[in-house]
Amino acid sequence: MATSLEIVSEHACFGGVQRFYKHESSAIGLPMRFSVFLPAHAVAGERVPALIYLAGLTCNEETFMTKAGAQRRAAELGLALIAPDTGPRGAGIASESDAWDFGLAASFYLDASREPWSKHYRMETYLTREFMSVIGQHLPVDTNRLGLFGHSMGGHGALTLALRHSGVFKSLSALAPICAPTQCPWGQKAFSGYLGLEMNMWRRHDATELMKSQGNAPYPDGILIDQGLADKFLDEQLLPHLFEAACQSVGQPLTLRRHAGYDHGYYFISTFINDHLDHHAQILKRA
């Protein structure tokens, strides 16, 4: 049965339209929200390539669209932008809001296997199955030309989902991603809470470990990562050098750009967002 969408709000934007949607999710068991920017050609009915953006801790489906300043360049390139929420809301778990880095708005884009999280915290299934069907049914986007990118926790989600679901996403990038969550406090807290203490389960959701296990380069057109060197989370939480080494070990082309003076926030993201859109557009228009 087709999922119905409700438009929460709609705004003209750079010749296209910015929309915010909600729908009932069977994978999550709760309503889910997401945002979409459609360029003019898509509004006219043409199916266009699309980029899915996964946001970071404490964010929601509005954060990227209101802070990143991506719509102008997306309109010029003819790309749709899609940003799902960072996790389920309304699960009613007593400890859900106790910490900013676990629970509400901190799903880590995986399917939890531990109670009480496993009932609703099923973001991997939602994003790679149900959400793909929803956008394919209801939006003028070409689901054979999808790119994936994200920031921080969302960068972790982009890297891991792209590596775990071969062929779904044709292009990949990240901004200040959590690259080795099995080796950082954020990841260890999330994985122990959602998955338990079995290290083999953790490794299945660690971009560095997943890249090491690749038989060849999964993204031969290259992966782009931008990282600010004034990012207070760089040394303890993000660890991009480990992902860089993993890419080198399997011959995966990686452009890891390190930027002096830039921190972890959306001023950093907005500075380099056009480069990411250009990276994806170049690949998706050849796909």
Side-chain angles (χ1 to χ4, degrees):
M1 187 167 117
T3 302
S4 61
L5 290 185
E6 177 185 343
I7 297 178
V8 177
S9 64
E10 182 176 62
H11 316 274
C13 186
F14 293 109
V17 64
Q18 175 68 57
R19 291 180 182 150
F20 296 89
Y21 289 98
K22 68 178 179 179
H23 71 103
E24 294 294 330
S25 167
S26 59
I28 300 294
L30 293 166
M32 289 295 291
R33 292 175 177 258
F34 65 96
S35 59
V36 178
F37 169 72
L38 296 174
H41 292 310
V43 175
E46 179 182 335
R47 288 193 174 270
V48 298
L51 304 185
I52 296 174
Y53 175 88
L54 304 182
L57 293 164
T58 76
C59 296
N60 60 27
E61 78 283 358
E62 296 183 5
T63 311
F64 174 76
M65 296 301 184
T66 57
K67 289 187 173 184
Q71 291 94 335
R72 181 190 295 272
R73 187 65 177 143
E76 293 169 353
L77 294 169
L79 294 174
L81 301 174
I82 305 172
D85 201 353
T86 47
R89 298 181 190 267
I93 299 171
S95 59
E96 193 176 25
S97 300
D98 287 355
W100 69 274
D101 56 356
F102 181 78
L104 189 67
S107 71
F108 273 75
Y109 299 104
L110 49 74
D111 286 357
S113 57
R114 289 190 68 201
E115 294 290 346
W117 310 99
S118 56
K119 181 177 180 181
H120 296 297
Y121 278 65
R122 294 172 44 80
M123 286 297 287
E124 181 170 10
T125 293
Y126 170 69
L127 289 171
T128 61
R129 297 183 187 178
E130 183 178 14
F131 194 58
M132 294 296 103
S133 176
V134 168
I135 64 176
Q137 288 175 15
H138 294 282
L139 299 178
V141 301
D142 183 352
T143 54
N144 291 315
R145 292 188 292 163
L146 292 177
L148 185 62
F149 69 141
H151 168 238
S152 193
M153 177 189 71
H156 145 79
L159 295 175
T160 56
L161 294 180
L163 292 172
R164 283 173 57 80
H165 298 273
S166 176
V168 175
F169 306 103
K170 300 300 189 294
S171 57
L172 177 61
S173 74
L175 296 120
I178 303 170
C179 289
T182 61
Q183 301 185 54
C184 77
W186 279 344
Q188 291 162 357
K189 180 177 183 176
F191 287 178
S192 60
Y194 293 136
L195 302 173
L197 299 180
E198 175 52 56
M199 186 59 69
N200 284 334
M201 287 290 292
W202 292 20
R203 293 190 185 102
R204 296 174 192 172
H205 300 279
D206 183 306
T208 295
E209 296 299 322
L210 288 167
M211 185 58 76
K212 287 179 185 176
S213 70
Q214 301 296 310
N216 49 33
Y219 285 88
D221 291 313
I223 299 169
L224 172 63
I225 292 178
D226 279 297
Q227 175 63 59
L229 294 179
D231 189 325
K232 65 181 180 180
F233 303 117
L234 174 58
D235 294 334
E236 184 180 26
Q237 303 282 15
L238 305 180
L239 311 176
H241 65 285
L242 298 180
F243 185 71
E244 183 178 40
C247 287
Q248 290 172 349
S249 73
V250 299
Q252 168 61 53
L254 170 69
T255 301
L256 173 53
R257 306 193 303 183
R258 296 169 169 92
H259 304 282
Y262 286 91
D263 62 19
H264 196 68
Y266 269 81
Y267 295 111
F268 156 69
I269 293 172
S270 63
T271 301
F272 300 105
I273 192 64
N274 285 358
D275 294 342
H276 284 256
L277 301 192
D278 291 346
H279 165 80
H280 288 275
Q282 185 178 27
I283 297 168
L284 294 178
K285 289 183 178 181
R286 292 200 307 263

